[in-house]
């Protein structure tokens, strides 16, 4: 990939407008729960499995797409997932400001990450291995794969 290809890819990512900003903000909101494990210990309410699954899928897809130049985030799918997660949490009586206080987030996230890393042999992996993992996730229509898409090749 040449420098101009990288620039074009970055430019196209920045030209996605409100959907990209909204998805970024919502994803950052959900990921903020990972930065507050001490607070989460005091809350006592266990993080729901669907929340941990969604949180991990968002983070894994973002990381795979960040390291693999042939994959990108599917902004429509990430936006839909974050909206659905927030709606489910709200239905259960978990207010947005209480999300960082959920217990078990770090442990649940770490367990999902270890499984994902092991399944794809990603510890110390090169770019091609990361890309292969992403392509497999897409092909198998996993929750992580549903949040990514191939980058169209320019001729």
């Amino acid at each position: 990939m040449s420098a101009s290809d990288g620039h074009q890819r970055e430019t196209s990512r920045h030209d996605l407008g409100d959907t990209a900003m909204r998805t970024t903000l919502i994803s950052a909101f959900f990921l903020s729960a990972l930065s507050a494990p001490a607070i989460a210990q005091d809350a006592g309410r266990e993080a729901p499995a669907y929340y941990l699954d969604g949180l991990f899928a968002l983070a894994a897809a973002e990381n795979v797409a960040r390291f693999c130049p042939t994959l990108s985030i599917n902004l429509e799918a990430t936006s839909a997932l974050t909206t659905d997660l927030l709606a489910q949490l709200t239905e259960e009586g978990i207010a947005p400001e209480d999300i960082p206080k959920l217990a078990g987030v770090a442990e649940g996230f770490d367990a999902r990450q270890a499984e994902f890393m092991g399944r794809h042999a990603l510890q110390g992996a090169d770019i091609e291995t990361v890309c292969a993992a992403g392509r497999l996730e897409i092909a198998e229509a996993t929750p992580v794969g549903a949040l990514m898409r191939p980058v169209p090749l320019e001729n």
Side-chain angles (χ1 to χ4, degrees), residues 42-96:
D42 296 334
R45 184 161 185 182
E46 198 68 25
Y50 68 82
Y51 170 70
L52 295 172
D53 293 341
L55 182 68
F56 175 74
L58 287 165
E62 182 179 334
N63 281 316
V64 169
R66 181 182 303 136
F67 290 102
C68 179
T70 61
L71 297 175
S72 69
I73 292 295
N74 180 335
L75 293 175
E76 294 82 17
T78 57
S79 179
L81 176 60
T82 53
T83 299
D84 290 347
L85 286 173
L86 188 55
Q88 284 181 293
L89 290 168
T90 301
E91 284 176 20
E92 287 191 25
I94 301 170

